[in-house]
Amino acid sequence: MWSELSNFNLSDLPVLVVSGLDGVDHRVKALRAGADDYLVKPFHPEELLARVEALLRRAGHRKWAGERVGERVGEHLRLVPERRAAVWYGGEARLSEIEYRLLQLLVRNRGRVVTARQLLTRVWGDESAIGGDRVKFGVLRLRRKLREAAGPDAPDPIEAVRGAGYRFVTAEEIDRKRDEGPAGQGWNTREKRPEAG
């Protein structure tokens, strides 16, 4: 049974083994074959749920776990998972796996600031969270690709909140803030100081 498990590419899929076999050797074989967790029957449904939630949290940075967002996000953005691309203002940007996961995570948290530490952990899988420059340069590359695809007049959907992280801003929100701002002043999404409070 464990040899069959090891034949699969499980790098992007968390595996929880549920078994009636309680021996340590069975657990060790399952974990060495690629399982992420092992649960012995009988068990309480709450424990199963908690273990699945923990696996999904730990696997949040993997490409499968990023909730396939194959639909429109606002009026001007569409993510295309099968091509690992983003269509921004009608132009398609082909993205690296990291860039796609980065955009996908920001989109899923749109309107909320995602810290550099969270991005490092969930996009790069870096639990140490000491590679802050990777986030900065990853965001710069992603912005450049979106701008090249959509043209120089398209707004930047990624807002840098100084000292806090990054936030995805929909084109509709950008337009609304432009309309609300003082006459003649555009709304710059590239950097914003955090609000006091």
Side-chain angles (χ1 to χ4, degrees), residues 58-77:
R58 286 198 302 266
H61 69 278
R62 297 175 182 165
K63 64 187 176 188
W64 76 271
E67 290 180 19
R68 289 172 64 93
V69 188
E71 77 266 2
R72 288 194 175 278
V73 181
E75 185 180 344
H76 298 290
L77 176 68

Side-chain angles (χ1 to χ4, degrees), residues 74-114:
E75 185 180 344
H76 298 290
L77 176 68
R78 185 167 51 90
L79 298 186
V80 188
E82 60 273 10
R83 289 199 305 272
R84 206 167 58 210
V87 178
W88 178 240
Y89 274 81
E92 182 171 302
R94 298 302 290 264
L95 305 174
S96 71
E97 184 175 336
I98 290 289
E99 291 160 350
Y100 187 84
R101 289 197 319 239
L102 176 59
L103 181 58
Q104 195 173 43
L105 181 61
L106 290 169
V107 163
R108 283 200 338 258
N109 290 282
R110 60 186 170 270
R112 294 190 302 260
V113 173
V114 182

